[in-house]
Amino acid sequence: MKRFKRWMVLFLACLAAAAVFGGCGLGGSDAQEADTVLGSGKEVLRIISGSENAELEPVLETFAQREEVRIEMTYQGSLDIMRLLGEEEIPYDAVWPASSLWLSVGDTNHRIKHAESVSITPVVFGIRRSLAEELGFVGREVSVSDLLAAIQNGSLRFCMTSATQSNSGASAYIGFLYALLGNPEVITREDLQSERLKTQMRELLSGVDRSSGSSDWLKDMFLEGDYDAMVNYECLIIQANEELEARGEEPLYTVYPYDGLSLADSPLGYVDQGDEEKENLFLKLQEYLLSEDVQNEIQRTGRRSGYTGVSEENRDVFREDWGLQPDRVLSPIKMPAADVLFECLNLYQTDFRKPSLTVYCLDYSGSMVGDGNRQLTQAMEQLLIQENAEKNFLQASEQEVNILIPFNGDVICTYTAVGNGSELESLYDEVKNQRVGGGTDMYAAAAAGAEMLKGYDLSQYTPAIILLTDGQSGGSLYDFEAVYESLGLDVPVFSIMFGEADEEQLEELAQYTNARVFDGRTNLTEAFRSVKGYN
């Protein structure tokens, strides 16, 4: 108990190490370089937003052009935005997470003003239409228990974002908890000790095929892979179906788990820093977004503007043959108190979810000498030392497996740790004591990692290979393909680009394994934290 309270204080009060920002900023804290710049005026509005709002950029662009201002959009996960709200300074003018939950939990200093919901979207299951028919889910109300039964008998597997890294995953998970607990008025810590709940939640999450740290990327991954279902925002299920239909492929059927349906209400709030002109600009943008015409435009993207249905002219977007329910009245579940929420997320990370099986292929070639090796050591310290990992909900479970493969021109050696105790933390000693020198062959290291994975029943884990390199690799993708294909399973190879790494090589490897590349050149620790959120 004392350890948890100490952790929660650290989490809310001083997470400077958890969210490091680069680029030009305000005051004493630096803002991350904007992902998108809209308009070209001298007056600037900096917004940090959930990635799901990227689709609204045309709407924002119209405002920026009309008002002759510049809007700088920086995209991060809602939990990252919550962490930012605990910082001493917030180097943005506005925050736009997926859910009000993260404002209420994160804004402990009450610096956010004028927060208003811009749109509403429920978190739903999208299931291949033919499978939904087989399961008897078409044309009827479906409960979380119905979904659990389908998972238990092996009929349903799905993709979902991490509950500790993404709002859609966190919201779905809290909804599952409510349903499995019989929809109490509010979840308590005592509720979470139920052995029946623990068993059912482990069984439900055993159905997760692939995880992701981003709702948007989950959709893209689903479209590139061969999966049966995903848990995601209703608006992203609509986007996925539009692409599936354009490709002539089977669409997803939308299932709303009626006893555990959670909502994202997309609040846009102003960061009060005493600048009256900036505040007026924010209020003008907010008024524009909430205007009738713009709300109608936003609704055309698959987001709802209220809890009681969609307008007649937009019913064609919410297609009923896709299982969408344009007339459904949405009733939000009551989110737990902050301390209970954090306990829920801790249990997800350490007890409920399938354990991770992570292979770290780390570059110790000669070019990593000096700063490169120092940054690599610091980054791995945040993952392997559990006191550090706990701050970002990245701590290991008792069944988790971590494999370390240092490499240069060849594999140097391999180390394996099971669980979350001293054996895991001893891997950090290997990281910091490893000598640097030699050439670079990331393909040999990735192939060695794939070979080691053959010794495990991968259906019992969320497996991934995480590869860091700072240079152009010898060897080729063909050297890796034969070993990878012999696995016969879907294992992503995530890459972290560092130094003078060949981005084309890394992208080729990511595309081959339906994974993605993270840029560690600005902040390697943040890149490792982000990629770990994907398994």
Side-chain angles (χ1 to χ4, degrees):
M1 183 71 72
K2 289 181 179 178
R3 187 182 181 200
F4 177 78
K5 288 180 178 178
R6 175 176 58 80
W7 173 85
M8 186 169 70
V9 170
L10 286 171
F11 187 88
L12 289 173
C14 57
L15 284 166
V20 182
F21 303 96
C24 198
L26 303 173
S29 184
D30 292 335
Q32 181 176 317
E33 185 177 347
D35 294 298
T36 302
V37 177
L38 306 165
S40 56
K42 291 184 179 179
E43 196 170 3
V44 179
L45 194 65
R46 296 184 178 91
I47 302 176
I48 184 161
S49 166
S51 61
E52 67 279 349
N53 289 321
E55 196 182 2
L56 299 183
E57 287 178 4
V59 174
L60 298 170
E61 178 73 45
T62 299
F63 175 84
Q65 296 291 352
R66 189 186 76 184
E67 301 296 328
E68 298 182 337
V69 299
R70 188 167 83 248
I71 297 176
E72 297 182 357
M73 298 293 293
T74 301
Y75 297 110
Q76 286 194 352
S78 292
L79 276 80
D80 287 318
I81 294 174
M82 179 194 71
R83 293 183 182 101
L84 174 63
L85 294 177
E87 293 287 325
E88 185 175 340
E89 294 189 32
I90 304 172
Y92 297 93
D93 306 306
V95 293
W96 199 356
S99 172
S100 295
L101 170 67
W102 310 115
L103 294 186
S104 61
V105 171
D107 185 27
T108 54
N109 293 319
H110 308 292
R111 290 175 290 179
I112 305 303
K113 295 173 59 177
H114 312 304
E116 295 283 350
S117 172
V118 173
S119 65
I120 295 165
T121 188
V123 179
V124 299
F125 269 77
I127 304 174
R128 297 279 184 190
R129 172 81 193 204
S130 58
L131 177 57
E133 289 174 345
E134 288 177 24
L135 294 171
F137 290 169
V138 174
R140 75 171 179 90
E141 288 287 272
V142 177
S143 68
V144 170
S145 292
D146 293 328
L147 295 163
L148 175 58
I151 293 164
Q152 287 171 328
N153 67 29
S155 301
L156 177 63
R157 301 186 68 78
F158 61 97
C159 304
M160 174 177 147
T161 61
S162 167
T164 59
Q165 303 301 317
S166 168
N167 178 73
S168 66
S171 297
Y173 166 62
I174 297 298
F176 298 157
L177 287 173
Y178 264 100
L180 295 176
L181 287 168
N183 294 106
E185 179 65 25
V186 64
I187 295 177
T188 67
R189 294 172 104 179
E190 289 71 27
D191 290 330
L192 298 175
Q193 300 310 309
S194 163
E195 291 303 321
R196 182 171 183 269
L197 172 70
K198 292 179 180 181
T199 298
Q200 289 183 322
M201 186 55 68
R202 290 180 194 124
E203 290 174 342
L204 195 156
L205 294 176
S206 73
V208 176
D209 258 339
R210 281 283 298 268
S211 184
S212 167
S214 159
S215 305
D216 236 6
W217 190 80
L218 181 76
K219 178 205 69 177
D220 295 340
M221 180 201 74
F222 183 90
L223 290 169
E224 292 300 318
D226 181 21
Y227 308 105
D228 287 332
M230 69 170 161
V231 175
N232 215 327
Y233 299 121
E234 180 186 56
C235 60
L236 293 182
I237 299 295
I238 292 172
Q239 289 179 29
N241 274 352
E242 289 170 347
E243 183 164 339
L244 288 168
E245 191 170 82
R247 296 187 329 205
E249 298 177 20
E250 181 182 21
L252 299 172
Y253 185 83
T254 308
V255 170
Y256 303 78
Y258 68 83
D259 55 349
L261 188 65
S262 54
L263 308 177
D265 62 345
S266 189
L268 176 63
Y270 175 67
V271 180
D272 188 8
Q273 313 219 46
D275 187 332
E276 188 175 346
E277 289 186 9
K278 191 80 71 174
E279 185 173 359
N280 288 335
L281 175 59
F282 168 85
L283 290 172
K284 189 178 290 187
L285 170 63
Q286 190 177 70
E287 181 182 14
Y288 163 79
L289 290 171
L290 296 176
S291 66
E292 185 176 348
D293 287 346
V294 176
Q295 282 287 291
N296 186 67
E297 191 175 347
I298 290 173
Q299 202 173 90
R300 294 295 301 174
T301 70
R303 293 161 171 81
R304 300 176 184 238
S305 54
Y307 293 92
T308 57
V310 303
S311 65
E312 191 64 33
E313 61 189 299
N314 290 328
R315 291 180 69 90
D316 62 312
V317 174
F318 297 81
R319 287 174 45 178
E320 294 182 63
D321 60 320
W322 289 347
L324 294 156
Q325 300 179 13
D327 297 321
R328 189 181 189 95
V329 175
L330 302 175
S331 300
I333 61 175
K334 186 176 180 180
M335 286 294 176
D339 62 333
V340 179
L341 171 65
F342 293 146
E343 181 70 4
C344 290
L345 296 179
N346 268 324
L347 284 169
Y348 169 88
Q349 185 68 21
T350 62
D351 194 359
F352 294 160
R353 70 187 182 103
K354 280 200 297 190
S356 296
L357 200 174
T358 310
V359 179
Y360 295 98
C361 299
L362 305 180
D363 191 342
Y364 283 87
S365 61
S367 55
M368 287 289 289
V369 70
D371 283 347
N373 184 248
R374 177 181 55 79
Q375 290 181 47
L376 169 61
T377 302
Q378 290 174 345
M380 292 301 292
E381 182 181 18
Q382 299 305 308
L383 298 179
L384 299 177
I385 304 302
Q386 293 303 282
E387 185 177 1
N388 297 329
E390 188 178 32
K391 296 172 186 176
N392 291 305
F393 293 115
L394 293 174
Q395 64 269 44
S397 69
E398 291 182 1
Q399 294 78 36
E400 188 160 313
V401 179
N402 284 276
I403 298 172
L404 182 67
I405 302 181
F407 72 93
N408 46 32
D410 204 345
V411 171
I412 298 172
C413 49
T414 62
Y415 306 94
T416 302
V418 179
N420 54 11
S422 58
E423 187 176 323
L424 173 62
E425 298 202 352
S426 69
L427 287 185
Y428 176 62
D429 294 329
E430 304 300 340
V431 168
K432 68 181 181 181
N433 294 331
Q434 186 63 50
R435 297 184 63 181
V436 177
T440 306
D441 188 347
M442 68 178 186
Y443 298 108
E451 280 286 359
M452 293 190 72
L453 291 179
K454 291 180 182 180
Y456 297 87
D457 178 2
L458 297 185
S459 67
Q460 302 303 306
Y461 298 91
T462 301
I465 297 173
I466 298 176
L467 171 69
L468 175 132
T469 184
D470 78 330
Q472 184 169 353
S473 179
S476 73
L477 180 63
Y478 299 110
D479 301 328
F480 170 72
E481 283 181 347
V483 178
Y484 184 82
E485 292 295 333
S486 67
L487 275 174
L489 288 171
D490 178 31
V491 178
V493 180
F494 296 108
S495 297
I496 299 178
M497 181 168 52
F498 189 64
E500 300 299 320
D502 188 325
E503 186 171 1
E504 185 175 338
Q505 285 184 323
L506 297 180
E507 286 289 354
E508 182 183 43
L509 190 57
Q511 289 177 19
Y512 177 67
T513 63
N514 200 7
R516 64 175 294 188
V517 176
F518 294 81
D519 192 344
R521 292 173 297 189
T522 301
N523 189 287
L524 191 58
T525 298
E526 182 68 15
F528 266 102
R529 190 190 65 77
S530 296
V531 69
K532 191 64 181 72
Y534 280 66
N535 86 317

